[in-house]
């Protein structure tokens, strides 16, 4: 049986791995999950993202970051899900924790962070928020 929400599965894997202080987490690869992982790396939430082609299916390996023994990602939540999609216009893009966190959006110009979407002047589907 297929997975109904692969993005939610990725975020849950990250959350669970950080709870037990894992250094790395493996996620089945897809284009959108790869882009989300790249945004997390660009924004400083994970230290490294690599595509590992061992075994039958390729996986995405994320190196998690910790500061003073605490995970850098304090909160990672799925906003839009298959049962309830959440769309935002360019002037409704949320600021997560007064700009300390990020939101990840799927726009017509690709998957981008809330800061990039504001610069480009586009709205889209609000995938998740990270703090």
């Amino acid at each position: 049986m297929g997975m109904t929400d692969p993005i939610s599965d990725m975020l849950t894997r990250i959350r669970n791995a950080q709870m037990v202080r894992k250094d790395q987490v493996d996620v089945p690869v897809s284009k959108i999950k790869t882009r989300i992982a790249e945004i997390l790396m660009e924004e400083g939430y994970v230290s490294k993202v690599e595509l590992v082609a061992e075994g039958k299916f390729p996986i995405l390996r994320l190196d998690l970051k910790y500061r003073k023994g605490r995970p850098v990602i304090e909160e990672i939540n799925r906003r839009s899900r298959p049962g309830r999609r959440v769309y935002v216009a360019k002037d409704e893009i949320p600021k997560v924790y007064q700009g300390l966190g990020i939101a990840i959006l799927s726009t017509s110009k690709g998957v981008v962070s809330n800061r990039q979407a504001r610069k480009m002047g586009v709205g889209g589907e609000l995938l998740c928020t990270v703090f």
Side-chain angles (χ1 to χ4, degrees):
M1 175 136 169
M3 201 180 315
T4 57
D5 191 4
I7 296 171
S8 184
D9 175 67
M10 174 187 180
L11 302 180
T12 300
R13 285 177 189 233
I14 292 170
R15 208 177 300 115
N16 290 343
Q18 286 193 321
M19 276 196 257
V20 293
R21 303 286 190 258
K22 294 270 187 184
D23 292 329
Q24 298 177 327
V25 62
D26 292 343
V27 179
V29 73
S30 75
K31 288 180 185 178
I32 194 163
K33 289 190 273 187
T34 302
R35 185 65 190 126
I36 290 170
E38 288 169 355
I39 291 171
L40 290 174
M41 187 176 71
E42 289 166 10
E43 296 288 337
Y45 290 104
V46 295
S47 57
K48 190 167 93 175
V49 175
E50 62 181 322
L51 185 65
V52 181
E54 59 188 40
K56 197 172 184 179
F57 300 102
I59 57 169
L60 201 59
R61 183 165 290 153
L62 286 74
D63 287 2
L64 303 173
K65 283 174 85 173
Y66 297 91
R67 189 179 305 124
K68 296 181 183 173
R70 297 195 52 192
V72 171
I73 299 175
E74 289 185 26
E75 200 176 284
I76 187 164
N77 294 318
R78 180 80 155 115
R79 297 313 278 278
S80 182
R81 33 191 190 93
R84 187 178 191 287
R85 299 288 182 187
V86 177
Y87 296 95
V88 292
K90 64 181 180 182
D91 52 335
E92 298 171 350
I93 297 171
K95 282 191 173 171
V96 182
Y97 288 97
Q98 287 87 33
L100 296 175
I102 62 163
I104 299 176
L105 290 91
S106 177
T107 69
S108 58
K109 306 215 172 161
V111 178
V112 295
S113 72
N114 56 346
R115 293 180 191 110
Q116 293 169 317
R118 269 194 213 92
K119 281 182 191 168
M120 293 189 290
V122 293
E125 183 181 355
L126 181 61
L127 297 176
C128 63
T129 56
V130 185
F131 173 66

